[in-house]
Amino acid sequence: MGRKIKKILKAWKKESGTDRVIQFRYRGGILKIYTSQPGWLIGRSGVLHDKYEQLLKGEIYDFKAIEFIETDYYWA
């Protein structure tokens, strides 16, 4: 399951143009993404967020939601 999530996050980062995704945690159906650029991953009007949320729902059977946790810029 971790490989599937990594593959999807890699494509998401490439499409959004960010390189500041530090790490992710998946537990209990919730994917927590730690980044200093959450707005880039969300996209204009949430288009990227919705696209990749649907993709994750199709790939992972118990997926529920995505949460973004904003970190310091210098932590990356």
Side-chain angles (χ1 to χ4, degrees), residues 6-7 22 24 52 63 66:
K6 282 183 184 181
K7 184 179 175 183
I22 288 111
F24 70 93
Y52 284 97
F63 179 80
I66 299 172

Side-chain angles (χ1 to χ4, degrees), residues 9-18 40 47-48 51-52:
L9 280 179
K10 186 176 180 181
W12 193 352
K13 283 172 43 175
K14 185 175 181 180
E15 186 174 352
S16 69
T18 186
W40 289 39
V47 172
L48 289 176
K51 175 183 175 180
Y52 284 97

Side-chain angles (χ1 to χ4, degrees), residues 21-40:
V21 174
I22 288 111
Q23 60 184 339
F24 70 93
R25 298 281 186 252
Y26 184 74
R27 179 174 285 163
I30 297 174
L31 176 65
K32 293 183 180 185
I33 301 174
Y34 297 85
T35 180
S36 64
Q37 297 174 326
W40 289 39

Side-chain angles (χ1 to χ4, degrees), residues 1 5 8-9 12 24-34 42 48-69:
M1 182 175 355
I5 294 172
I8 292 169
L9 280 179
W12 193 352
F24 70 93
R25 298 281 186 252
Y26 184 74
R27 179 174 285 163
I30 297 174
L31 176 65
K32 293 183 180 185
I33 301 174
Y34 297 85
I42 294 169
L48 289 176
H49 177 268
D50 294 341
K51 175 183 175 180
Y52 284 97
E53 186 173 41
Q54 292 303 318
L55 188 62
L56 285 163
K57 282 181 182 178
E59 291 289 324
I60 302 169
Y61 69 94
D62 66 341
F63 179 80
K64 295 177 186 169
I66 299 172
E67 289 183 11
F68 292 100
I69 291 113

